[in-house]
Amino acid sequence: MDNNALHKIGYGLYVLIAQQGGKDNACIINVAQQVTSDPLQLMICVNKQNLTHDMVLKTAKFNLCPLSEEATMKPFEHFGFQSGRNVNKFENCEVELRSENGLRYLPKYINACFQCVVTKAIDLGTHTMFIAMVMDAKVLSDSPSITYAYYQQHIKPKPAVNSTAAGKKRWVCEVCGYVYEGDELPDDYICPICKHGKSDFKLIEA
Ligand code: FE
């Protein structure tokens, strides 16, 4: 099977926000889609290893915010490259913005906010697919939504040319194309973009 075929599927990039027991948290996901218009329902897919996954499963509530072309690497590093189990991701947010459902959203980097209530959770093994009703939605910016291809071309820093010479190895996520650089790929590594695990990464031969 040619896994590169998966790169031909278009993906967006979204901030998924939840709250449980007074704790706000968020992660980056790349699978979200409107599935029906009457009633208005969305589908998202989230890796079970994300703390936000557990919070959505338990509280049946989330905000979904498409990242826009105003985004830099910062929201990816902040929400995607670290876990809410270790840090409070909203601790140093410059303003505290909450939608009517009490959940957080961001002052920048996003262009809309969908307030959702989960109606169905489908166990897909590594991930859970959530079907949700959109209770309210608002546009926050006219900046276009980013695709994963846009992220690769315009946001993600280009890998250092001499990284191989410096002894660093590179692994590519066969699901979304994300490249990890380092001495070793940790066993518990989760792709910061698509949330797939180590088994979906392949070593790039120098
Ligand atoms: Fe990935």
Side-chain angles (χ1 to χ4, degrees), residues 173-198:
C173 173
E174 295 195 287
V175 177
C176 75
Y178 179 81
V179 174
Y180 174 89
E181 274 186 17
D183 297 321
E184 208 43 64
L185 183 64
D187 284 340
D188 60 352
Y189 191 74
I190 298 294
C191 177
I193 302 298
C194 74
K195 312 300 175 190
H196 281 249
K198 184 178 183 177

PDB file of all heavy atoms in Angstrom, residues 173-198:
ATOM      1  N   CYS A 173       5.696  11.180   9.566  1.00  0.00           N
ATOM      2  CA  CYS A 173       4.390  10.597   9.894  1.00  0.00           C
ATOM      3  C   CYS A 173       3.732  10.206   8.566  1.00  0.00           C
ATOM      4  O   CYS A 173       3.514  11.064   7.703  1.00  0.00           O
ATOM      5  CB  CYS A 173       3.521  11.608  10.645  1.00  0.00           C
ATOM      6  SG  CYS A 173       1.830  11.023  10.884  1.00  0.00           S
ATOM      7  N   GLU A 174       3.457   8.924   8.409  1.00  0.00           N
ATOM      8  CA  GLU A 174       2.910   8.458   7.137  1.00  0.00           C
ATOM      9  C   GLU A 174       1.439   8.822   6.964  1.00  0.00           C
ATOM     10  O   GLU A 174       0.875   8.656   5.899  1.00  0.00           O
ATOM     11  CB  GLU A 174       3.095   6.951   7.011  1.00  0.00           C
ATOM     12  CG  GLU A 174       4.572   6.592   6.938  1.00  0.00           C
ATOM     13  CD  GLU A 174       4.790   5.192   6.453  1.00  0.00           C
ATOM     14  OE1 GLU A 174       4.509   4.263   7.235  1.00  0.00           O
ATOM     15  OE2 GLU A 174       5.205   5.031   5.297  1.00  0.00           O
ATOM     16  N   VAL A 175       0.833   9.310   8.041  1.00  0.00           N
ATOM     17  CA  VAL A 175      -0.567   9.718   7.928  1.00  0.00           C
ATOM     18  C   VAL A 175      -0.676  11.155   7.415  1.00  0.00           C
ATOM     19  O   VAL A 175      -1.420  11.447   6.490  1.00  0.00           O
ATOM     20  CB  VAL A 175      -1.295   9.563   9.281  1.00  0.00           C
ATOM     21  CG1 VAL A 175      -2.725  10.058   9.191  1.00  0.00           C
ATOM     22  CG2 VAL A 175      -1.257   8.107   9.721  1.00  0.00           C
ATOM     23  N   CYS A 176       0.132  12.069   8.022  1.00  0.00           N
ATOM     24  CA  CYS A 176      -0.050  13.480   7.651  1.00  0.00           C
ATOM     25  C   CYS A 176       1.205  14.124   7.069  1.00  0.00           C
ATOM     26  O   CYS A 176       1.152  15.247   6.594  1.00  0.00           O
ATOM     27  CB  CYS A 176      -0.547  14.283   8.853  1.00  0.00           C
ATOM     28  SG  CYS A 176       0.738  14.611  10.067  1.00  0.00           S
ATOM     29  N   GLY A 177       2.344  13.448   7.146  1.00  0.00           N
ATOM     30  CA  GLY A 177       3.560  14.024   6.561  1.00  0.00           C
ATOM     31  C   GLY A 177       4.409  14.824   7.529  1.00  0.00           C
ATOM     32  O   GLY A 177       5.457  15.348   7.160  1.00  0.00           O
ATOM     33  N   TYR A 178       4.006  14.921   8.786  1.00  0.00           N
ATOM     34  CA  TYR A 178       4.794  15.665   9.779  1.00  0.00           C
ATOM     35  C   TYR A 178       6.161  15.002   9.956  1.00  0.00           C
ATOM     36  O   TYR A 178       6.264  13.780   9.999  1.00  0.00           O
ATOM     37  CB  TYR A 178       4.056  15.713  11.117  1.00  0.00           C
ATOM     38  CG  TYR A 178       4.833  16.442  12.179  1.00  0.00           C
ATOM     39  CD1 TYR A 178       4.828  17.832  12.228  1.00  0.00           C
ATOM     40  CD2 TYR A 178       5.589  15.753  13.110  1.00  0.00           C
ATOM     41  CE1 TYR A 178       5.560  18.509  13.173  1.00  0.00           C
ATOM     42  CE2 TYR A 178       6.325  16.420  14.071  1.00  0.00           C
ATOM     43  CZ  TYR A 178       6.310  17.799  14.101  1.00  0.00           C
ATOM     44  OH  TYR A 178       7.043  18.467  15.048  1.00  0.00           O
ATOM     45  N   VAL A 179       7.221  15.812  10.048  1.00  0.00           N
ATOM     46  CA  VAL A 179       8.568  15.263  10.197  1.00  0.00           C
ATOM     47  C   VAL A 179       9.105  15.551  11.598  1.00  0.00           C
ATOM     48  O   VAL A 179       9.124  16.701  12.048  1.00  0.00           O
ATOM     49  CB  VAL A 179       9.524  15.850   9.129  1.00  0.00           C
ATOM     50  CG1 VAL A 179      10.956  15.387   9.374  1.00  0.00           C
ATOM     51  CG2 VAL A 179       9.074  15.434   7.735  1.00  0.00           C
ATOM     52  N   TYR A 180       9.518  14.482  12.273  1.00  0.00           N
ATOM     53  CA  TYR A 180      10.144  14.595  13.598  1.00  0.00           C
ATOM     54  C   TYR A 180      11.652  14.456  13.437  1.00  0.00           C
ATOM     55  O   TYR A 180      12.124  13.562  12.734  1.00  0.00           O
ATOM     56  CB  TYR A 180       9.618  13.497  14.516  1.00  0.00           C
ATOM     57  CG  TYR A 180      10.314  13.431  15.866  1.00  0.00           C
ATOM     58  CD1 TYR A 180       9.853  14.180  16.936  1.00  0.00           C
ATOM     59  CD2 TYR A 180      11.435  12.630  16.057  1.00  0.00           C
ATOM     60  CE1 TYR A 180      10.488  14.142  18.169  1.00  0.00           C
ATOM     61  CE2 TYR A 180      12.089  12.583  17.293  1.00  0.00           C
ATOM     62  CZ  TYR A 180      11.609  13.338  18.343  1.00  0.00           C
ATOM     63  OH  TYR A 180      12.240  13.294  19.556  1.00  0.00           O
ATOM     64  N   GLU A 181      12.407  15.353  14.089  1.00  0.00           N
ATOM     65  CA  GLU A 181      13.871  15.292  14.044  1.00  0.00           C
ATOM     66  C   GLU A 181      14.421  15.048  15.429  1.00  0.00           C
ATOM     67  O   GLU A 181      13.957  15.663  16.395  1.00  0.00           O
ATOM     68  CB  GLU A 181      14.427  16.643  13.564  1.00  0.00           C
ATOM     69  CG  GLU A 181      14.496  16.779  12.070  1.00  0.00           C
ATOM     70  CD  GLU A 181      15.183  18.080  11.673  1.00  0.00           C
ATOM     71  OE1 GLU A 181      15.868  18.694  12.520  1.00  0.00           O
ATOM     72  OE2 GLU A 181      15.015  18.473  10.529  1.00  0.00           O
ATOM     73  N   GLY A 182      15.385  14.163  15.538  1.00  0.00           N
ATOM     74  CA  GLY A 182      15.995  13.936  16.850  1.00  0.00           C
ATOM     75  C   GLY A 182      16.926  12.746  16.800  1.00  0.00           C
ATOM     76  O   GLY A 182      17.190  12.189  15.734  1.00  0.00           O
ATOM     77  N   ASP A 183      17.418  12.354  17.979  1.00  0.00           N
ATOM     78  CA  ASP A 183      18.317  11.210  18.040  1.00  0.00           C
ATOM     79  C   ASP A 183      17.522   9.910  17.996  1.00  0.00           C
ATOM     80  O   ASP A 183      17.927   8.933  17.396  1.00  0.00           O
ATOM     81  CB  ASP A 183      19.147  11.261  19.327  1.00  0.00           C
ATOM     82  CG  ASP A 183      20.043  12.497  19.351  1.00  0.00           C
ATOM     83  OD1 ASP A 183      20.580  12.845  18.278  1.00  0.00           O
ATOM     84  OD2 ASP A 183      20.168  13.121  20.415  1.00  0.00           O
ATOM     85  N   GLU A 184      16.389   9.918  18.662  1.00  0.00           N
ATOM     86  CA  GLU A 184      15.541   8.720  18.698  1.00  0.00           C
ATOM     87  C   GLU A 184      14.081   9.151  18.770  1.00  0.00           C
ATOM     88  O   GLU A 184      13.761  10.178  19.364  1.00  0.00           O
ATOM     89  CB  GLU A 184      15.913   7.888  19.934  1.00  0.00           C
ATOM     90  CG  GLU A 184      15.667   6.394  19.782  1.00  0.00           C
ATOM     91  CD  GLU A 184      16.098   5.815  18.438  1.00  0.00           C
ATOM     92  OE1 GLU A 184      17.296   5.816  18.103  1.00  0.00           O
ATOM     93  OE2 GLU A 184      15.185   5.391  17.696  1.00  0.00           O
ATOM     94  N   LEU A 185      13.191   8.381  18.160  1.00  0.00           N
ATOM     95  CA  LEU A 185      11.758   8.691  18.242  1.00  0.00           C
ATOM     96  C   LEU A 185      11.211   7.991  19.491  1.00  0.00           C
ATOM     97  O   LEU A 185      11.222   6.752  19.556  1.00  0.00           O
ATOM     98  CB  LEU A 185      11.042   8.179  16.981  1.00  0.00           C
ATOM     99  CG  LEU A 185       9.552   8.490  16.864  1.00  0.00           C
ATOM    100  CD1 LEU A 185       9.292   9.982  16.778  1.00  0.00           C
ATOM    101  CD2 LEU A 185       8.957   7.797  15.642  1.00  0.00           C
ATOM    102  N   PRO A 186      10.743   8.747  20.493  1.00  0.00           N
ATOM    103  CA  PRO A 186      10.279   8.111  21.737  1.00  0.00           C
ATOM    104  C   PRO A 186       9.106   7.153  21.487  1.00  0.00           C
ATOM    105  O   PRO A 186       8.277   7.403  20.607  1.00  0.00           O
ATOM    106  CB  PRO A 186       9.824   9.309  22.590  1.00  0.00           C
ATOM    107  CG  PRO A 186      10.507  10.498  22.004  1.00  0.00           C
ATOM    108  CD  PRO A 186      10.663  10.213  20.533  1.00  0.00           C
ATOM    109  N   ASP A 187       9.042   6.064  22.279  1.00  0.00           N
ATOM    110  CA  ASP A 187       7.987   5.057  22.104  1.00  0.00           C
ATOM    111  C   ASP A 187       6.588   5.653  22.266  1.00  0.00           C
ATOM    112  O   ASP A 187       5.642   5.213  21.634  1.00  0.00           O
ATOM    113  CB  ASP A 187       8.156   3.925  23.136  1.00  0.00           C
ATOM    114  CG  ASP A 187       9.304   2.999  22.745  1.00  0.00           C
ATOM    115  OD1 ASP A 187       9.677   2.996  21.547  1.00  0.00           O
ATOM    116  OD2 ASP A 187       9.821   2.302  23.632  1.00  0.00           O
ATOM    117  N   ASP A 188       6.481   6.657  23.148  1.00  0.00           N
ATOM    118  CA  ASP A 188       5.144   7.218  23.413  1.00  0.00           C
ATOM    119  C   ASP A 188       4.892   8.478  22.579  1.00  0.00           C
ATOM    120  O   ASP A 188       3.990   9.250  22.877  1.00  0.00           O
ATOM    121  CB  ASP A 188       4.991   7.527  24.905  1.00  0.00           C
ATOM    122  CG  ASP A 188       6.034   8.530  25.406  1.00  0.00           C
ATOM    123  OD1 ASP A 188       6.966   8.875  24.631  1.00  0.00           O
ATOM    124  OD2 ASP A 188       5.926   8.966  26.567  1.00  0.00           O
ATOM    125  N   TYR A 189       5.708   8.656  21.510  1.00  0.00           N
ATOM    126  CA  TYR A 189       5.557   9.874  20.705  1.00  0.00           C
ATOM    127  C   TYR A 189       4.217   9.877  19.973  1.00  0.00           C
ATOM    128  O   TYR A 189       3.796   8.865  19.407  1.00  0.00           O
ATOM    129  CB  TYR A 189       6.702   9.998  19.688  1.00  0.00           C
ATOM    130  CG  TYR A 189       6.730  11.350  19.025  1.00  0.00           C
ATOM    131  CD1 TYR A 189       7.181  12.461  19.713  1.00  0.00           C
ATOM    132  CD2 TYR A 189       6.267  11.512  17.722  1.00  0.00           C
ATOM    133  CE1 TYR A 189       7.177  13.712  19.130  1.00  0.00           C
ATOM    134  CE2 TYR A 189       6.262  12.765  17.124  1.00  0.00           C
ATOM    135  CZ  TYR A 189       6.719  13.865  17.834  1.00  0.00           C
ATOM    136  OH  TYR A 189       6.701  15.095  17.247  1.00  0.00           O
ATOM    137  N   ILE A 190       3.551  11.031  20.007  1.00  0.00           N
ATOM    138  CA  ILE A 190       2.280  11.215  19.314  1.00  0.00           C
ATOM    139  C   ILE A 190       2.466  12.343  18.309  1.00  0.00           C
ATOM    140  O   ILE A 190       2.982  13.401  18.655  1.00  0.00           O
ATOM    141  CB  ILE A 190       1.161  11.627  20.315  1.00  0.00           C
ATOM    142  CG1 ILE A 190       0.929  10.524  21.362  1.00  0.00           C
ATOM    143  CG2 ILE A 190      -0.142  11.942  19.592  1.00  0.00           C
ATOM    144  CD1 ILE A 190       0.372   9.259  20.804  1.00  0.00           C
ATOM    145  N   CYS A 191       2.070  12.121  17.083  1.00  0.00           N
ATOM    146  CA  CYS A 191       2.186  13.169  16.074  1.00  0.00           C
ATOM    147  C   CYS A 191       1.432  14.413  16.549  1.00  0.00           C
ATOM    148  O   CYS A 191       0.250  14.335  16.870  1.00  0.00           O
ATOM    149  CB  CYS A 191       1.615  12.681  14.740  1.00  0.00           C
ATOM    150  SG  CYS A 191       1.655  13.970  13.479  1.00  0.00           S
ATOM    151  N   PRO A 192       2.120  15.576  16.622  1.00  0.00           N
ATOM    152  CA  PRO A 192       1.451  16.770  17.129  1.00  0.00           C
ATOM    153  C   PRO A 192       0.323  17.261  16.229  1.00  0.00           C
ATOM    154  O   PRO A 192      -0.521  18.037  16.652  1.00  0.00           O
ATOM    155  CB  PRO A 192       2.581  17.799  17.211  1.00  0.00           C
ATOM    156  CG  PRO A 192       3.638  17.310  16.299  1.00  0.00           C
ATOM    157  CD  PRO A 192       3.528  15.813  16.277  1.00  0.00           C
ATOM    158  N   ILE A 193       0.317  16.808  14.980  1.00  0.00           N
ATOM    159  CA  ILE A 193      -0.705  17.277  14.059  1.00  0.00           C
ATOM    160  C   ILE A 193      -1.881  16.306  13.983  1.00  0.00           C
ATOM    161  O   ILE A 193      -3.019  16.671  14.245  1.00  0.00           O
ATOM    162  CB  ILE A 193      -0.112  17.486  12.645  1.00  0.00           C
ATOM    163  CG1 ILE A 193       1.037  18.492  12.701  1.00  0.00           C
ATOM    164  CG2 ILE A 193      -1.189  17.941  11.669  1.00  0.00           C
ATOM    165  CD1 ILE A 193       0.671  19.879  13.160  1.00  0.00           C
ATOM    166  N   CYS A 194      -1.610  15.046  13.624  1.00  0.00           N
ATOM    167  CA  CYS A 194      -2.738  14.126  13.398  1.00  0.00           C
ATOM    168  C   CYS A 194      -2.960  13.175  14.564  1.00  0.00           C
ATOM    169  O   CYS A 194      -3.924  12.414  14.554  1.00  0.00           O
ATOM    170  CB  CYS A 194      -2.546  13.353  12.101  1.00  0.00           C
ATOM    171  SG  CYS A 194      -1.292  12.068  12.222  1.00  0.00           S
ATOM    172  N   LYS A 195      -2.067  13.220  15.546  1.00  0.00           N
ATOM    173  CA  LYS A 195      -2.231  12.465  16.789  1.00  0.00           C
ATOM    174  C   LYS A 195      -2.087  10.957  16.619  1.00  0.00           C
ATOM    175  O   LYS A 195      -2.562  10.204  17.445  1.00  0.00           O
ATOM    176  CB  LYS A 195      -3.580  12.782  17.471  1.00  0.00           C
ATOM    177  CG  LYS A 195      -3.897  14.262  17.602  1.00  0.00           C
ATOM    178  CD  LYS A 195      -2.864  14.992  18.412  1.00  0.00           C
ATOM    179  CE  LYS A 195      -3.139  16.492  18.434  1.00  0.00           C
ATOM    180  NZ  LYS A 195      -2.037  17.247  19.016  1.00  0.00           N
ATOM    181  N   HIS A 196      -1.440  10.520  15.539  1.00  0.00           N
ATOM    182  CA  HIS A 196      -1.141   9.099  15.412  1.00  0.00           C
ATOM    183  C   HIS A 196       0.178   8.817  16.144  1.00  0.00           C
ATOM    184  O   HIS A 196       0.967   9.724  16.398  1.00  0.00           O
ATOM    185  CB  HIS A 196      -1.066   8.685  13.941  1.00  0.00           C
ATOM    186  CG  HIS A 196      -2.432   8.497  13.339  1.00  0.00           C
ATOM    187  ND1 HIS A 196      -2.935   7.277  12.978  1.00  0.00           N
ATOM    188  CD2 HIS A 196      -3.422   9.388  13.097  1.00  0.00           C
ATOM    189  CE1 HIS A 196      -4.162   7.424  12.513  1.00  0.00           C
ATOM    190  NE2 HIS A 196      -4.483   8.702  12.574  1.00  0.00           N
ATOM    191  N   GLY A 197       0.392   7.537  16.478  1.00  0.00           N
ATOM    192  CA  GLY A 197       1.541   7.183  17.315  1.00  0.00           C
ATOM    193  C   GLY A 197       2.775   6.775  16.537  1.00  0.00           C
ATOM    194  O   GLY A 197       2.832   6.860  15.307  1.00  0.00           O
ATOM    195  N   LYS A 198       3.766   6.284  17.279  1.00  0.00           N
ATOM    196  CA  LYS A 198       5.073   5.938  16.723  1.00  0.00           C
ATOM    197  C   LYS A 198       4.976   4.949  15.558  1.00  0.00           C
ATOM    198  O   LYS A 198       5.763   5.016  14.603  1.00  0.00           O
ATOM    199  CB  LYS A 198       5.943   5.350  17.838  1.00  0.00           C
ATOM    200  CG  LYS A 198       7.363   5.024  17.416  1.00  0.00           C
ATOM    201  CD  LYS A 198       8.199   4.480  18.568  1.00  0.00           C
ATOM    202  CE  LYS A 198       9.636   4.245  18.111  1.00  0.00           C
ATOM    203  NZ  LYS A 198      10.502   3.794  19.214  1.00  0.00           N
TER     204      LYS A 198
END
